Amino acid sequence: MRRTRLSDVPCPIARSLDEVGEWWSLLILRDAMLGLTRFDEFQRSIGLATNMLTRRLQALVEAGLLEKRPYRDRPLRHGYHLTGKGRDFLPVLIAMADWGSRWLPPGGAFRIVDRDTGRPVEPVLIDRTTGETLRPERLRPEFTIPAKTTWAKDETE
């Protein structure tokens, strides 16, 4: 089956999905945010077959979300560490966790807490410029480049 590429679509949501939309990738990024770095740690956490995990880690490295760093010489072993681009993905994961906790049972199985105080965190999106809470009724998308008539292309092209 051919995968449709979304990298040339003007919508940033579509392009983001092209970069990290595979659900295993989201779980790898979640675990990297929690401090996991080694192949065996990722494999134990998410239970993905080693060949699939190898492909997903490589894709995240190629996308610039993770970087490989050697942690042992003999035999050579690498850890996978978040890049700045990868760390900037944290708000997406927090928003997904918040949404999932509220709308997908079992509720309360997971929560985000402040590391220092231990208090639960209630995530909210704000406008970086004004500091105001973003509310759907006040938002509209506005493309800054002309939309293409055909957005997606096959990976095999």
Side-chain angles (χ1 to χ4, degrees):
M1 179 170 22
R2 287 186 277 188
R3 180 175 174 244
T4 299
R5 301 291 304 174
L6 301 172
S7 56
D8 292 330
V9 175
C11 174
I13 295 170
R15 289 193 319 274
S16 298
L17 285 172
D18 194 57
E19 196 91 343
V20 296
E22 212 257 3
W23 59 291
W24 291 115
S25 296
L26 296 173
L27 295 177
I28 292 168
L29 288 171
R30 173 205 63 192
D31 286 353
M33 298 284 180
L34 295 173
L36 276 61
T37 60
R38 296 184 179 187
F39 186 93
D40 61 324
E41 293 173 327
F42 290 116
Q43 208 283 323
R44 254 193 322 275
S45 176
I46 62 178
L48 185 59
T50 56
N51 63 330
M52 292 293 293
L53 179 57
T54 298
R55 284 197 295 265
R56 295 314 320 144
L57 286 167
Q58 184 59 38
L60 291 168
V61 168
E62 289 172 7
L65 293 152
L66 295 176
E67 65 180 359
K68 282 174 70 169
R69 293 186 208 152
Y71 68 86
R72 187 168 61 193
D73 291 330
R74 292 195 181 125
L76 181 60
R77 296 284 186 255
H78 291 92
Y80 296 87
H81 300 266
L82 290 164
T83 62
K85 184 178 179 181
R87 284 186 297 278
D88 278 353
F89 197 73
L90 178 62
V92 176
L93 293 175
I94 290 173
M96 289 181 75
D98 182 55
W99 181 85
S101 292
R102 284 188 287 128
W103 292 102
L104 305 173
F110 174 91
R111 66 182 182 173
I112 300 166
V113 297
D114 182 279
R115 187 182 303 270
D116 294 333
T117 66
R119 288 190 296 243
V121 172
E122 292 291 328
V124 62
L125 291 174
I126 61 164
D127 181 315
R128 188 174 295 159
T129 304
T130 66
E132 292 182 26
T133 301
L134 297 179
R135 295 188 317 268
E137 64 274 8
R138 295 203 47 214
L139 303 175
R140 68 176 167 81
E142 181 176 286
F143 289 107
T144 58
I145 59 172
K148 292 183 180 181
T149 54
T150 305
W151 280 8
K153 64 179 179 181
D154 283 337
E155 191 173 56
T156 57
E157 290 180 351

